[in-house]
């Protein structure tokens, strides 16, 4: 067992976990960019390098795309775990590997994939289970030997994000919410475009889908663009008036018919 590091890196406020490079950008790239704009420290963990993949020259190219995408979003830390693409399974070793990252960077919030993605990679479903388990493992005491002596860390909140170009914009959950990404939507689209091996110009439809879905979500809530996050627990409102009728409430941007008001 290695000794506990004398100093740990600066903590991250939020860590988003994806099965492959580009998962996080597609689902919550706008949310992450907005958090950075608001002054929070943000990290991304890709459980695999996404290789092999049909149009990529190789792992080094895909990793460079991921690095550039993170730079566009302003993400502070991005790592790729050495787990196998296409053969990703929820197993003890994968759970521990991710939990070590949580113990090292001590996030307040973790974002993970919400559910299966029909007709897409089964890795996404496995990533969801690995993430849920790693959040639990991160806070377990009397298990130092399994985590290289890293200190116990309790993640305050796990939130899920739907993934998939054709996913319904009206996902249901105990605490479904829409994050305002009006200001960061251009960065989200630019970060996805960094994956030229995955989304060449022939796949312009992908960007139209991502942008249109973000606008549907945002306009339905009273702002320009949005992304869905789902809490496993109901979201608590402490001031009903401030939340639903205050000056910054999306409700104030709706006309009496319930539609988004014009400028």
């Amino acid at each position: 067992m290695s000794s506990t590091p004398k100093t740990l890196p600066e903590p991250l406020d939020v860590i988003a976990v994806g099965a492959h490079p580009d998962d996080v950008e597609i689902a919550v790239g706008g949310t992450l960019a907005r958090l950075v704009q608001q002054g929070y420290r943000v990290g991304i963990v890709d459980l695999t390098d996404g290789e092999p993949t049909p149009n990529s020259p190789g792992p080094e190219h895909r990793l460079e795309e991921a690095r550039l995408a993170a730079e566009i979003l302003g993400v502070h830390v991005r790592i790729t775990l050495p787990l196998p693409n296409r053969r990703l399974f929820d197993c003890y070793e994968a759970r521990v590997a991710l939990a070590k990252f949580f113990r090292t960077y001590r996030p307040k919030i973790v974002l993970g994939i919400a559910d299966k993605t029909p007709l897409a990679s089964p890795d996404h479903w496995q990533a969801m289970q690995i993430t849920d388990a790693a959040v639990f493992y991160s806070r377990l005491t009397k298990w130092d030997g399994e985590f290289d002596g890293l200190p116990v860390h309790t993640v305050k909140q796990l939130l899920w994000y739907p993934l998939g170009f054709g996913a319904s914009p009206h996902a249901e959950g105990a605490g479904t919410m829409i994050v305002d990404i009006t200001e960061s939507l251009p960065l989200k689209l630019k970060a996805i475009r960094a994956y030229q091996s995955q989304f060449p110009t022939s796949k312009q439809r992908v960007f139209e889908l991502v942008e249109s879905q973000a606008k549907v979500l945002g306009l339905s809530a009273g702002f320009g663009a949005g992304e869905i996050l789902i809490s496993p627990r109901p979201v608590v409102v402490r001031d009903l008036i401030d939340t639903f009728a205050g000056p910054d409430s999306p409700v104030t941007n709706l006309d009496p018919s319930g539609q988004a008001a014009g400028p």
Side-chain angles (χ1 to χ4, degrees):
M1 181 183 74
S2 60
S3 59
T4 303
K6 292 182 179 180
T7 57
L8 291 171
E10 187 176 351
L12 296 170
D13 295 297
V14 177
I15 291 177
V17 182
H20 320 101
D22 74 27
D23 288 348
V24 166
E25 288 86 348
I26 291 167
V28 289
T31 297
L32 299 187
R34 186 68 188 126
L35 286 166
V36 172
Q37 291 171 347
Q38 292 169 325
Y40 295 108
R41 287 180 51 77
V42 175
I44 295 175
V45 181
D46 305 307
L47 299 181
T48 80
D49 63 7
E51 293 293 321
T53 191
N55 298 318
S56 172
E60 294 79 10
H61 185 88
R62 188 78 177 272
L63 289 172
E64 176 57 22
E65 290 177 334
R67 185 202 64 77
L68 177 58
E71 182 179 285
I72 291 167
L73 296 177
V75 168
H76 300 82
V77 176
R78 184 171 205 157
I79 71 152
T80 303
L81 295 182
L83 302 175
N85 179 46
R86 301 183 179 179
R87 295 178 289 115
L88 182 65
F89 287 98
D90 175 24
C91 64
Y92 176 72
E93 291 76 16
R95 294 175 175 187
V96 169
L98 183 56
K100 285 181 180 179
F101 188 78
F102 293 161
R103 288 185 178 219
T104 299
Y105 283 96
R106 292 103 66 209
K108 298 180 179 71
I109 296 173
V110 168
L111 309 182
I113 296 175
D115 207 337
K116 296 179 181 178
T117 49
L119 302 179
S121 174
D123 288 354
H124 299 151
W125 174 248
Q126 300 299 318
M128 185 202 79
Q129 297 175 87
I130 293 167
T131 304
D132 288 5
V135 167
F136 178 66
Y137 281 18
S138 180
R139 70 172 184 258
L140 293 181
T141 60
K142 300 181 179 178
W143 216 11
D144 293 349
E146 299 298 309
F147 296 97
D148 300 334
L150 289 165
V152 170
H153 174 70
T154 298
V155 175
K156 293 184 177 180
Q157 182 66 62
L158 169 64
L159 300 173
W160 297 310
Y161 60 81
L163 177 62
F165 298 124
S168 167
H170 303 292
E172 297 180 358
T176 300
M177 66 199 83
I178 300 177
V179 180
D180 184 353
I181 64 161
T182 305
E183 295 185 30
S184 56
L185 178 59
L187 290 175
K188 171 190 176 91
L189 297 172
K190 185 177 180 181
I192 298 172
R193 290 186 189 279
Y195 293 96
Q196 295 181 4
S197 66
Q198 307 305 304
F199 307 113
T201 54
S202 60
K203 291 187 177 181
Q204 176 60 27
R205 175 177 173 272
V206 168
F207 298 98
E208 293 172 358
L209 278 170
V210 171
E211 184 173 10
S212 61
Q213 181 164 302
K215 288 183 175 180
V216 166
L217 286 169
L219 290 170
S220 70
F223 40 80
E227 291 173 339
I228 287 180
L229 289 176
I230 304 167
S231 169
R233 296 175 292 195
V235 177
V236 176
V237 175
R238 300 194 183 281
D239 186 325
L240 199 67
I241 303 303
D242 185 60
T243 300
F244 292 103
D248 296 324
S249 169
V251 177
T252 63
N253 295 322
L254 299 179
D255 66 26
S257 68
Q259 301 298 312

